Amino acid sequence: MEKGGTWKRRIIGNYNWGSLCMPTPPWKDGRSLPPFFGKDEKLSVLVAVVMGLQHALAMVGGIITAPLLIAMLGFKPENQAYLVSAALIVAAVASFVQIVQLRIPGTRYVIGSGMLSVMGVSFSFVPISQQVISTLSKCACAGVPCTVGGTCGACAGPLTGECLTPEAAYGKVLGTVLVCCFYQIFVSFVPSRVLRRVFPPVVTGTCLVLLGSALIGAGFANWGGGIFCSSQVLTTKIPCSGNGEVVLAFGHRVYLGLGLVVFFAIIFAELFGSPFIRNIEVIVGLLVGMIVASSVHYSSCDETGTCKSLRFVTGQQISDAKWITFLWVKRFPLGFYGPAVLPILFAFMVTTMECIGDITATAEASQLEPVGEKFEKSIQGAVLADGINSFFSALATITPVTTYAQNNGVLSLSRCASRYAGYACCVWLLILGIVGKFAAIILTIPNCVLGGMTTFLFTGVVVSGIHVLNLREGLNRRNRFIAIMSIGVGMGVTLVPAWVNITSQFVDYPFEGNFWPINPSWSPAFRGFRDSIIIVMSNGFSIGGFIAVFLNLILPFDRNDAPSGIEEEKTPVDYMDKKHVEL
């Protein structure tokens, strides 16, 4: 009998599932808390599987969004599906390395945080990748823009421009990342206290606000029907594809309505959902949007009165997709693009500070002391894992990965910080990535539904930045001045990119504009340097972040302001008191 009871505890456990799965009406005061599991506490198989599923579903929305936004720039459908699958597989491998914590032999350094901190594809590199791919794939025939592999094939004369396929341009992004990620590996050996002095919350918070603002634009463009048709709406009336069989003008009420379905589903999940549902409300919203989009049809009538019933979701890509896939079934020719080095390096600065902040939040949610030698070792290992995993992700055809923040919300609600749940999460992500049909299902999501989800997701990045801006000494006069100057310029460049760069008017050479016109006599090296500066200046979070770092280093502190890089040392008792108050 004892043996049977032991087997049952190991497989099923005695977890109170009601606290996790039962919904709580919003008018009822106080939502019950489930039991807490420490980072090294063993879980039954069922509990680990369910807790890991929560983390995986909370991550999926963010993991698939970054490669989808990049692949929308003209990638072939099979390559789009591959990038989604590859991103999930890379996230599984990277998260395992981050969770397990491996010691480097013969040193005091480690790889990985040793906590339930998971990794996914970073949004910081999306605007840079989009800009580089758009630039390198520009091509013209006798001054008329054409597409490589499409209309350019009919050109009788020589082509002008870089004229690379989007896939070849993406390979140059990956090759540049392979070189630049050694910066983050090097930074991981710098004491975290020094990093926090150079990159305090006023710098990282500003970068997050600007990054989220740029990404919200992409979310809204998809919500209205698609990114390409949104960029042409002021000059032409190109209809929006990417919404199944339905092709309507940008901003059509049908597109906006389907995006609103996702928003209302997320609100409903937050109001009435159990802790489990609230942890995965982004996926719930996406799922409800897909169900509605699959159920409704759009009736289109021509001038003769003949009407057709069009679908927003079609199953052709799903039926054509293979059941099993893996990394490297599709490959992109690696290259190097010098002008992208500076913005990519700065993106690594941002992800490094994101990592430190997320690990600190994970430690507090795991009821660990975010001070002392063990915590500093977790910080060092986490940043090193970010750099090494980003090198691996580039080799695995995916842009850099970083430690994800949304899982700290899952930790707080589920109260399960056990690394065994993290290992189960990695298995779930690996399964989702290997099953090729899952990526095909993702690709059938209409742009308008995806836009509704990503707008919510990216707004969370902005809100996280606002929260970071108020950490430690908060927005005192000095920090407010830094934020005003940085966000002012960064947001302005995001809203009006032609302020620096007018790429649509010049196809013979990228990054043309009135700010720094091209001189044909320049050497290739100087022209590459000039392009690097233009990329930084035309990317809102890059130029805003550089301004924030510069001002933070030169501006003196007021007499009553605590220095930004010096944290007040707190004892374990202080943190225990803080947790007692929160509980």
Side-chain angles (χ1 to χ4, degrees), residues 67-351:
L68 278 179
L69 290 177
I70 294 173
M72 284 178 179
L73 298 175
F75 283 54
K76 296 178 181 178
E78 60 269 24
N79 290 331
Q80 294 179 11
Y82 165 75
L83 285 181
V84 172
S85 295
L88 291 166
I89 296 172
V90 167
V93 176
S95 296
F96 179 81
V97 173
Q98 187 71 278
I99 294 169
V100 71
Q101 194 177 75
L102 305 171
R103 179 175 293 278
I104 301 176
T107 72
R108 59 185 179 87
Y109 298 108
V110 296
I111 304 173
S113 68
M115 296 185 289
L116 207 175
S117 47
V118 294
M119 301 191 70
V121 185
S122 172
F123 291 139
S124 299
F125 298 85
V126 172
I128 300 169
S129 300
Q130 290 176 325
Q131 194 171 22
V132 171
I133 293 172
S134 297
T135 298
L136 294 181
S137 59
K138 283 189 178 297
C139 197
C141 174
V144 179
C146 61
T147 56
V148 178
T151 55
C152 289
C155 182
L159 298 173
T160 56
E162 295 292 338
C163 296
L164 296 180
T165 63
E167 287 84 354
Y170 181 63
K172 285 186 175 290
V173 173
L174 296 177
T176 309
V177 166
L178 282 173
V179 176
C180 294
C181 67
F182 285 98
Y183 160 80
Q184 192 172 31
I185 294 174
F186 169 78
V187 166
S188 68
F189 298 104
V190 177
S192 59
R193 177 178 291 273
V194 176
L195 292 178
R196 285 193 289 267
R197 289 187 180 186
V198 180
F199 305 109
V202 67
V203 173
T204 54
T206 295
C207 292
L208 288 174
V209 170
L210 293 172
L211 174 63
S213 301
L215 293 172
I216 287 174
F220 247 62
N222 275 319
W223 190 348
I227 293 178
F228 179 72
C229 60
S230 71
S231 65
Q232 306 294 319
V233 69
L234 296 179
T235 56
T236 60
K237 294 184 178 180
I238 296 177
C240 298
S241 58
N243 297 280
E245 298 172 338
V246 181
V247 181
L248 300 171
F250 179 79
H252 196 281
R253 59 184 179 277
V254 174
Y255 291 153
L256 303 184
L258 285 176
L260 280 175
V261 168
V262 178
F263 255 62
F264 286 129
I266 293 174
I267 293 172
F268 191 85
E270 181 67 24
L271 274 173
F272 299 99
S274 65
F276 183 89
I277 294 299
R278 284 187 288 148
N279 283 338
I280 62 170
E281 59 192 7
V282 172
I283 293 299
V284 170
L286 191 61
L287 179 62
V288 172
M290 277 290 287
I291 292 173
V292 173
S294 302
S295 304
V296 300
H297 290 188
Y298 180 79
S299 181
S300 176
C301 302
D302 57 21
E303 296 177 354
T304 64
T306 304
C307 296
K308 294 187 297 183
S309 181
L310 304 177
R311 296 176 297 174
F312 288 94
V313 179
T314 60
Q316 186 62 42
Q317 283 181 298
I318 301 175
S319 59
D320 292 343
K322 297 180 180 179
W323 275 102
I324 302 298
T325 187
F326 200 68
L327 299 174
W328 302 295
V329 297
K330 302 288 183 182
R331 290 179 290 180
F332 308 93
L334 292 178
F336 183 79
Y337 187 56
V341 169
L342 283 179
I344 287 177
L345 285 177
F346 189 80
F348 272 119
M349 293 182 195
V350 174
T351 56

Side-chain angles (χ1 to χ4, degrees), residues 555-572:
L555 288 181
F557 292 93
D558 293 335
R559 179 174 299 177
N560 296 327
D561 293 339
S564 297
I566 300 177
E567 293 184 289
E568 179 184 355
E569 293 294 337
K570 297 184 180 180
T571 65

Side-chain angles (χ1 to χ4, degrees), residues 59 63 91 94-95 118-122 400-404:
M59 296 169 63
I63 292 173
S95 296
V118 294
M119 301 191 70
V121 185
S122 172
V401 293
T402 189
T403 306
Y404 265 21

Side-chain angles (χ1 to χ4, degrees), residues 242-547:
N243 297 280
E245 298 172 338
V246 181
V247 181
L248 300 171
F250 179 79
H252 196 281
R253 59 184 179 277
V254 174
Y255 291 153
L256 303 184
L258 285 176
L260 280 175
V261 168
V262 178
F263 255 62
F264 286 129
I266 293 174
I267 293 172
F268 191 85
E270 181 67 24
L271 274 173
F272 299 99
S274 65
F276 183 89
I277 294 299
R278 284 187 288 148
N279 283 338
I280 62 170
E281 59 192 7
V282 172
I283 293 299
V284 170
L286 191 61
L287 179 62
V288 172
M290 277 290 287
I291 292 173
V292 173
S294 302
S295 304
V296 300
H297 290 188
Y298 180 79
S299 181
S300 176
C301 302
D302 57 21
E303 296 177 354
T304 64
T306 304
C307 296
K308 294 187 297 183
S309 181
L310 304 177
R311 296 176 297 174
F312 288 94
V313 179
T314 60
Q316 186 62 42
Q317 283 181 298
I318 301 175
S319 59
D320 292 343
K322 297 180 180 179
W323 275 102
I324 302 298
T325 187
F326 200 68
L327 299 174
W328 302 295
V329 297
K330 302 288 183 182
R331 290 179 290 180
F332 308 93
L334 292 178
F336 183 79
Y337 187 56
V341 169
L342 283 179
I344 287 177
L345 285 177
F346 189 80
F348 272 119
M349 293 182 195
V350 174
T351 56
T352 298
M353 297 315 299
E354 277 186 271
C355 175
I356 293 175
D358 293 342
I359 294 300
T360 303
T362 301
E364 293 184 334
S366 304
Q367 297 190 10
L368 300 172
E369 299 164 7
V371 291
E373 184 179 349
K374 288 185 178 180
F375 175 69
E376 294 296 326
K377 181 178 291 187
S378 293
I379 291 287
Q380 175 270 310
V383 175
L384 181 55
D386 263 30
I388 293 176
N389 283 327
S390 292
F391 185 83
F392 164 71
S393 70
L395 288 178
T397 67
I398 294 297
T399 51
V401 293
T402 189
T403 306
Y404 265 21
Q406 57 261 49
N407 292 78
N408 291 324
V410 179
L411 280 176
S412 299
L413 282 174
S414 67
R415 292 171 55 81
C416 178
S418 172
R419 290 191 291 174
Y420 291 91
Y423 300 143
C425 170
C426 297
V427 174
W428 279 113
L429 292 175
L430 187 63
I431 292 172
L432 292 175
I434 290 176
V435 177
K437 295 289 185 181
F438 179 76
I441 292 173
I442 297 300
L443 290 180
T444 62
I445 300 174
N447 286 342
C448 52
V449 173
L450 182 67
M453 183 272 285
T454 53
T455 298
F456 173 82
L457 195 66
F458 295 148
T459 306
V461 177
V462 177
V463 174
S464 296
I466 295 172
H467 171 71
V468 171
L469 279 171
N470 287 279
L471 293 178
R472 278 195 261 171
E473 68 268 20
L475 283 174
N476 53 36
R477 189 184 188 286
R478 176 183 181 274
N479 288 352
R480 188 181 296 111
F481 180 85
I482 294 173
I484 289 172
M485 297 295 291
S486 307
I487 294 177
V489 176
M491 194 76 73
V493 168
T494 298
L495 296 174
V496 189
W499 187 72
V500 175
N501 184 13
I502 315 177
T503 56
S504 60
Q505 295 182 12
F506 300 87
V507 293
D508 293 340
Y509 189 78
F511 307 124
E512 183 62 277
N514 300 319
F515 172 76
W516 194 350
I518 298 295
N519 188 331
S521 64
W522 286 345
S523 66
F526 185 79
R527 184 172 289 189
F529 168 76
R530 178 261 184 198
D531 289 353
S532 298
I533 301 299
I534 294 297
I535 289 180
V536 170
M537 294 190 65
S538 57
N539 188 292
F541 92 93
S542 291
I543 183 63
F546 271 119
I547 292 173

